[in-house]
Amino acid sequence: MRALRGVWAAAAVAAGLVLLGCDDRGRAVLVVEGFRATPETLSFGPTALGGVVTREVVLENDGRAPFTVYGVKSSVASVQVADVTGPFTVGAGQRHTLKVLFSPSVEGEMAGALTIETDSAEAGAHGQATIGAKGRGVRAFATVGLRTLDFGNVEVGTAHVLKLPLSNTTEAAVSARIALGGPDADQFTSDGVADQVVLAPGQSVEVPVAFNPKRLGAAVATATVSVCNGCDPVLVELMGLGIASRL
């Protein structure tokens, strides 16, 4: 009888069960690990060329024994898993989150898969679980509504603000950034210089640009607007005239 129990225990271990030891009556106790990966498919949606969209895969162990993940492989180059440099263990009752990045370099549909290699019999055939991945690379860019901002006459020591319209008529989110240059750039400021302006599909914003003359006379500068990854920037001419106080 003991021999039969030994054979049964060995077969259970081979099938993915883990022998933990004996209970308080001296009987062998076999426990299975519980592997679960969600979601079944990662959907990245339309993504700007050169941009990055992040999704998460959660590996969960709802059993009573640990399992080891030896690696995670992507079938397409535009989908990568971040921060997985070697094997890791997911203990009983624990979960591990994987960050998956989609960064398309060409337009069109993407269909691929992630293969998760484990020692868990519940992961699938040969301990491998498969997560689908789909998305679409699109050209996304911001549209700049004006090419010139003329602030007119502004008293030295005061400020006048105009709005630079930006819009996104594409299918994917896009980031724009403004850089100020030119001989009198020190007299102009914009919120878009310090931070990127992120535009969701269909969104329009007005970015404030201020002329704060520090000296008398004409002031000229250029706002260089980066409208997408890899695109030529849009140049907006800034001009104004610093005048003496009317008081």
Side-chain angles (χ1 to χ4, degrees):
M1 185 60 146
R2 290 182 178 176
L4 289 175
R5 287 182 179 176
V7 172
W8 176 76
V13 170
L17 302 176
V18 178
L19 179 62
L20 296 184
C22 299
D23 64 10
D24 56 0
R25 295 185 181 182
R27 295 175 298 188
V29 178
L30 292 163
V31 205
V32 68
E33 83 289 334
F35 177 92
R36 182 184 302 171
T38 54
E40 294 183 357
T41 300
L42 291 171
S43 181
F44 294 94
T47 302
L49 300 184
V52 179
V53 172
T54 303
R55 295 288 185 264
E56 292 184 346
V57 171
V58 177
L59 306 181
E60 187 173 1
N61 186 346
D62 57 6
R64 291 185 290 165
F67 63 78
T68 298
V69 175
Y70 297 109
V72 183
K73 298 179 180 179
S74 172
S75 66
V76 290
S78 58
V79 176
Q80 297 294 326
V81 181
D83 303 326
V84 176
T85 57
F88 59 87
T89 298
V90 181
Q94 296 182 346
R95 60 175 55 189
H96 185 94
T97 300
L98 301 173
K99 290 186 177 181
V100 185
L101 313 178
F102 175 46
S103 182
S105 58
V106 295
E107 289 185 84
E109 299 289 340
M110 179 276 295
L114 296 178
T115 300
I116 304 169
E117 300 177 344
T118 80
D119 63 355
S120 172
E122 293 201 348
H126 308 294
Q128 294 184 338
T130 300
I131 301 290
K134 61 182 180 179
R136 182 156 51 92
V138 300
R139 293 192 180 276
F141 52 88
T143 299
V144 183
L146 296 172
R147 293 295 185 271
T148 302
L149 290 179
D150 188 347
F151 293 85
N153 298 337
V154 181
E155 294 180 13
V156 172
T158 66
H160 181 45
V161 178
L162 295 178
K163 302 295 182 66
L164 181 63
L166 301 178
S167 60
N168 178 7
T169 59
T170 69
E171 298 178 81
V174 67
S175 297
R177 186 183 290 277
I178 299 173
L180 300 179
D184 301 303
D186 62 318
Q187 300 187 81
F188 297 88
T189 59
S190 173
D191 293 343
V193 173
D195 302 306
Q196 283 189 340
V197 180
V198 180
L199 297 169
Q203 183 182 10
S204 296
V205 299
E206 291 184 325
V207 180
V209 180
F211 173 44
N212 183 3
K214 300 177 181 179
R215 46 193 176 267
L216 297 174
V220 177
T222 301
T224 301
V225 186
S226 299
V227 294
C228 79
N229 291 312
C231 296
D232 291 333
V234 173
L235 303 182
V236 179
E237 184 180 10
L238 309 178
M239 62 181 68
L241 182 66
I243 61 174
S245 172
R246 295 186 175 91
L247 297 179

